[in-house]
């Protein structure tokens, strides 16, 4: 199995910045794509940003120009740089990974979620 651990959440003022990190560990795996999703109380979990193995990125319209997703392949880590934060960005942010688990034969294509990290934007 693969474990995803998020960090970097917290409380910031509107207009501030946060940098979220998600480190993947556990079974031997190869990452096809990783992404960030968020869920506010009473709302559906929504995509924030994804980055594929080839480097292609995708962003929700609500965060374009403010958030940047990146990765460090050597560390199996994905980051979300969040700038110009707004109160409506307040949510639990979840890391997601689409991976091939290689520790067993045959390999398995799996999708994993982190436990979430709280981001609160408030004055």
């Amino acid at each position: 199995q693969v474990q995803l651990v998020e960090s970097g959440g917290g409380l910031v003022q509107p207009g501030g910045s946060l940098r979220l990190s998600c480190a993947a560990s556990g079974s031997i795996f190869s990452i096809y794509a990783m992404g960030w999703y968020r869920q506010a109380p009473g709302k559906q979990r929504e995509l924030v940003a994804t980055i594929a193995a080839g480097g292609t990125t995708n962003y929700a319209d609500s965060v374009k120009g403010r958030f940047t997703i990146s990765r460090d392949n050597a560390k199996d880590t994905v980051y979300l740089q969040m700038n110009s934060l707004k109160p409506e960005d307040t949510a639990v942010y979840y890391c997601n990974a689409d991976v091939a688990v290689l520790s067993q034969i045959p390999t398995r294509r799996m999708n994993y979620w982190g436990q979430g990290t709280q981001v609160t934007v408030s004055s």
Side-chain angles (χ1 to χ4, degrees):
Q1 295 184 349
V2 175
Q3 294 80 45
L4 304 178
V5 179
E6 301 105 328
S7 62
L11 173 65
V12 296
Q13 296 182 1
S17 297
L18 283 174
R19 184 178 176 87
L20 305 183
S21 300
C22 174
S25 63
S27 302
I28 300 172
F29 57 88
S30 177
I31 299 175
Y32 289 111
M34 296 186 73
W36 290 95
Y37 296 72
R38 67 186 181 186
Q39 187 168 23
K43 297 184 66 177
Q44 187 82 15
R45 185 174 298 187
E46 64 178 356
L47 180 145
V48 177
T50 60
I51 183 165
T56 301
T57 57
N58 183 49
Y59 297 92
D61 289 341
S62 60
V63 306
K64 286 182 178 178
R66 300 188 297 120
F67 291 9
T68 302
I69 189 169
S70 61
R71 65 186 180 188
D72 185 337
N73 291 332
K75 297 181 179 179
D76 291 329
T77 299
V78 65
Y79 305 94
L80 185 68
Q81 178 66 47
M82 304 185 294
N83 299 324
S84 302
L85 283 162
K86 305 174 181 179
E88 50 263 45
D89 295 319
T90 296
V92 177
Y93 284 70
Y94 296 91
C95 180
N96 175 267
D98 177 16
V99 306
V101 179
L102 308 176
S103 59
Q104 294 186 350
I105 300 174
T107 60
R108 301 175 64 190
R109 183 74 170 265
M110 299 289 290
N111 188 267
Y112 294 93
W113 291 93
Q115 79 285 356
T117 184
Q118 178 71 48
V119 172
T120 302
V121 185
S122 176
S123 60

